[in-house]
Amino acid sequence: DTEVTQTPKHLVMGMTNKKSLKCEQHMGHRAMYWYKQKAKKPPELMFVYSYEKLSINESVPSRFSPECPNSSLLNLHLHALQPEDSALYLCASSQDSWTGGLNEQFFGPGTRLTVL
Amino acid sequence: GIQVEQSPPDLILQEGANSTLRCNFSDSVNNLQWFHQNPWGQLINLFYIPSGTKQNGRLSATTVATERYSLLYISSSQTTDSGVYFCAVEDYGQNFVFGPGTRLSVLP
């Protein structure tokens, strides 16, 4: 099973709302990632969790708050977003490069977020 | 940080034609993958290829790590091959960087 699932598929929120994006994988991967993708642009790395610890935060504003409750789950909590945060948010997982082995990333289908 | 370039940025082909997409990267990498992004945004894994050559049906890929480039070959293209092709590399610090992509349109 090489599936990464994400919920919801679509989300519309106001600038004062609080919402969460969820991501799940059951491949036994120990690294999980959040990416943001604007229209006609490549995905940009936001956060990396390795063994449930935040290992990379690419200078993302604090209105985005990641959480990794266990090795299979990854959340992205959203609060006080701006319209320019509207984008496709992609989750991915991989074995973990620190092990020195195969570190192929697998992506979920994404959550299309619109901030009004 | 590591820089990734892809060429060409856009490509229009007639069904049945062959094509070569290129990915150049600026530093040594731990990992290189090719993806196809479909119109719904799903990133589909094509190849995990930090070095060497692999083939999968009509697609094949070659990475020459010492010269810092990778090539994706598409033969006998079909309309379903349309979409954006991304090369993504991982440096030795778990940092994944995507190239800008090649937008492919295959016409019937």
Side-chain angles (χ1 to χ4, degrees), chain B residues 4-46:
Chain B
V4 183
E5 298 174 347
Q6 288 186 245
S7 60
D10 296 281
L11 187 58
I12 300 175
L13 298 175
Q14 210 64 40
E15 203 167 23
N18 302 330
S19 61
T20 301
L21 282 56
R22 186 176 180 104
C23 171
N24 292 333
F25 42 97
S26 61
D27 207 342
S28 301
V29 297
N30 191 39
N31 172 12
L32 187 146
Q33 288 184 250
W34 283 97
F35 295 94
H36 176 211
Q37 189 165 41
N38 67 22
W40 298 272
Q42 175 75 58
L43 281 163
I44 299 161
N45 289 37
L46 298 178

Side-chain angles (χ1 to χ4, degrees), chain B residues 49-70:
Chain B
I49 188 164
S51 63
T53 297
K54 291 186 177 179
Q55 178 149 11
N56 185 3
R58 296 181 297 103
L59 302 182
S60 63
T62 294
T63 297
V64 184
T66 53
E67 295 186 24
R68 298 182 186 164
Y69 73 89
S70 183

Side-chain angles (χ1 to χ4, degrees), chain A residues 33 35 37 40 42-43 45 48 50 55-56 58 88 90 96-98 102-109 112, chain B residues 30-31 33 35 37 39-43 45 47-48 86 90 92-101 103:
Chain A
Y33 311 79
Y35 288 83
Q37 186 178 22
K40 298 192 186 303
L45 186 64
V48 180
S50 179
S55 60
I56 292 180
E58 291 287 359
L88 179 66
L90 294 161
D96 194 288
S97 57
W98 300 125
L102 198 70
N103 200 35
E104 184 176 4
Q105 281 201 320
F106 294 88
F107 281 81
R112 202 162 290 278
Chain B
N30 191 39
N31 172 12
Q33 288 184 250
F35 295 94
Q37 189 165 41
W40 298 272
Q42 175 75 58
L43 281 163
N45 289 37
F47 294 102
Y48 173 83
F86 288 109
E90 180 197 6
Y92 286 89
Q94 276 192 313
N95 196 10
F96 278 86
V97 178
F98 276 72
R103 189 171 298 273

Side-chain angles (χ1 to χ4, degrees), chain B residues 73-91:
Chain B
Y73 305 97
I74 304 174
S75 64
S76 304
S77 57
Q78 301 175 357
T79 55
T80 51
D81 294 332
S82 296
V84 183
Y85 289 80
F86 288 109
C87 161
V89 302
E90 180 197 6
D91 64 18

